[in-house]
Amino acid sequence: MLGFASLGSGSRGNATLVADADTCVLVDCGFSLAETRRRLARLGREPSDLAGILVTHEHADHVRGVARLADHYGIPVWLTRGTAAAIRWPRGVTLCEVGAGRPFTLGSLRVEPVAVPHDAREPVQYAISSGARRVGVLTDLGAVTPAVVAHFRHCDGLFLEANHDPRLLATGPYPPALRRRVGGAFGHLSNGQAVGLLKRIELGRIRWLVLGHLSEKNNCRTRLEAAVAPLLAGRVPWAVACQERGVPWQWIDY
Ligand SMILES: [Zn+2]
Ligand SMILES: [Zn+2]
């Protein structure tokens, strides 16, 4: 079996668990140490269960808690050279360099880092496999590239960004420069872009889809549902990961 769960998702913090029967990893950690422990416990895990932390990029909502968690529990951290250089690390933390297009093994999991267009130093997202099963964690990208489609096309489970509704973004409280950043090619996926990706992948294979990294100011469940329901209704079970509660474990069995 292979499964995933979210500790919470949104601009105030992101962290996603991916595990099979033998190995459990955390993708990003945007929460404080105490908050991370509390949220892990809610999902039946503790920090000592983590074989590693996979970091996607250096934005605070993804790395706020990584250094302390790694340092406190001696958990190795996997990340690109560019991301590592953008963060201040305590001495003693084990950093393992990854690169887009260079898959590696972490315990019983196979991890593929995939380059994404986002306004960070060297951002990647991850496709993670156990045996024949494959889960994708795909947030923080401004555009769907051919490489993204190629790597996330055959997933059994997918955690996908649906950050904003373009009309809410255009009329919302963000200043023009931030609006351009979020909506730009190196920003975040809109609801419509998320649907665009879903149309390009093997949707029939997906057993569980979670939409996450929703903007609290520029998106809402009603708009998101209106955008995705025509494609997903009756075909794919899906849920929304919220900032406070994330989403519980979902297991894809053999
Ligand atoms: Zn983010
Ligand atoms: Zn980001």
Side-chain angles (χ1 to χ4, degrees), residues 150-164:
H151 284 89
F152 293 89
R153 178 182 279 156
H154 304 295
C155 286
D156 303 283
L158 182 60
F159 186 97
L160 175 63
E161 170 168 70
N163 178 258
H164 58 275

Side-chain angles (χ1 to χ4, degrees), residues 10 14 57 59 61-62 118 139-140 161 188 213:
N14 295 275
H57 65 298
H59 290 161
D61 56 319
H62 298 263
H118 190 56
T139 68
D140 296 74
E161 170 168 70
H188 293 273
H213 214 305

Side-chain angles (χ1 to χ4, degrees), residues 165-175 179 217-218 223:
D165 173 277
R167 263 185 301 172
L168 290 182
L169 179 64
T171 56
Y174 280 15
R179 238 180 251 170
K217 301 244 165 46
N218 306 309
R223 297 278 181 132

Side-chain angles (χ1 to χ4, degrees), residues 96-235:
C96 311
E97 190 183 317
V98 308
R102 301 203 321 254
F104 61 95
T105 301
L106 207 175
S108 53
L109 301 175
R110 182 177 191 270
V111 182
E112 288 170 45
V114 182
V116 291
H118 190 56
D119 52 358
R121 292 270 276 271
E122 193 183 351
V124 289
Q125 296 292 319
Y126 294 100
I128 300 170
S129 308
S130 173
R133 296 298 183 206
R134 185 175 175 88
V135 159
V137 178
L138 183 57
T139 68
D140 296 74
L141 67 166
V144 174
T145 63
V148 165
V149 174
H151 284 89
F152 293 89
R153 178 182 279 156
H154 304 295
C155 286
D156 303 283
L158 182 60
F159 186 97
L160 175 63
E161 170 168 70
N163 178 258
H164 58 275
D165 173 277
R167 263 185 301 172
L168 290 182
L169 179 64
T171 56
Y174 280 15
L178 185 54
R179 238 180 251 170
R180 278 194 298 276
R181 198 222 122 202
V182 169
F186 292 87
H188 293 273
L189 289 188
S190 68
N191 297 340
Q193 285 174 296
V195 170
L197 172 80
L198 291 170
K199 286 180 175 166
R200 296 172 67 184
I201 64 174
E202 199 187 330
L203 204 55
R205 179 165 163 176
I206 292 191
R207 309 271 185 90
W208 185 237
L209 169 69
V210 175
L211 297 166
H213 214 305
L214 268 69
S215 166
E216 286 174 349
K217 301 244 165 46
N218 306 309
N219 209 353
C220 68
R221 285 190 184 228
T222 316
R223 297 278 181 132
L224 175 60
E225 186 144 4
V228 301
L231 180 67
L232 300 179
R235 293 178 73 189

